[in-house]
Amino acid sequence: MKEYTVALAGNPNTGKSTLFNTLTGLKQHTGNWAGKTVTLAAGYYRYEDVQFKMVDLPGTYSLFSNSDDEEVARDYIVFEKPDVTLLVLDATSLERSLNLALQVLEMTDQVLICLNLMDEAKKKGLKINAGQLSKKLGVPVIPISARNNEGLEVLSDTLLKLCSGKMKTTPYKMRYSEELEAKILKLETELADILGHEFPARWLAIRFLDGDEKLIAALKNKLDSKGKGGEAHGSTTTFGRSSGRHSC
Ligand SMILES: Nc1nc2c(ncn2[C@@H]2O[C@H](COP(=O)(O)OP(=O)(O)OP(=O)(O)O)[C@@H](O)[C@H]2O)c(=O)[nH]1
Ligand SMILES: [Mg+2]
């Protein structure tokens, strides 16, 4: 059976583990306080004729090198290259989530955004135009309520289309000042010459220009371990299989 890997990323407390649990039938720790998921957990569920491997990343506000959590989440997205990064945003506080969303869109094209806690958003009288947001960001945006099992069929369907290449994205990329863009382009070209297209050269160039030493070390570590034929990363701790809870 064809298997696709999907990484769940997002701010703390946006319902990533709740979504993970609902889809896989596992029981990752959830609760109403930040920072519960500290290690990577993987679980599986089937949809149509494929199996999704879901990886529950720690919640972070950014993906620089400010903490172990940020490094774990960032390294997974960039170096492990899941088929899709599923960004779980809190529909009740979108402005806070969009910063992270823009960072992820710089790292990979394979992004699906879900707006979770739509039940709460509705209660608060918030109206979000998911179609318009999707147009602006260049990736699909699906409203869901993970706790109430709402929107998950559309979510799975869109995941499948993205993973199988039936749906293409055109992620919004931040543009910087002309001077900075010239430097990014120069470094990006040099990096692409050295590394090929395996890693996101533009994003690496931006991070390098920002002086992200820890990222440079992580990349070196990844390249060294590849040279030795080993896997650089993979602190996956929890595994389980399920045919999925929602009606697919
Ligand atoms: N009302 C509502 N609450 C939800 C929904 N999804 C999750 N929650 C609640 O939001 C809180 C946080 O959920 P978690 O799944 O632990 O969040 P998380 O993103 O994994 O958090 P971290 O691991 O800290 O990053 C819990 O109290 C959940 O029950 C939803 O769709 N609606
Ligand atoms: Mg969690």
Side-chain angles (χ1 to χ4, degrees), residues 12-18 30-31 35-37 59 116 119 145-147:
N13 227 19
T14 57
K16 295 177 296 301
S17 297
T18 304
T30 62
K36 292 161 302 294
T37 305
N116 191 29
D119 54 315
S145 172
R147 202 159 74 178

Side-chain angles (χ1 to χ4, degrees), residues 163-181:
C163 286
S164 62
K166 281 196 187 128
M167 185 186 274
K168 297 274 181 237
T169 60
T170 48
Y172 175 84
K173 303 280 179 205
M174 293 276 291
R175 301 297 298 175
Y176 300 92
S177 68
E178 228 170 88
E179 190 191 354
L180 197 50
E181 282 295 338

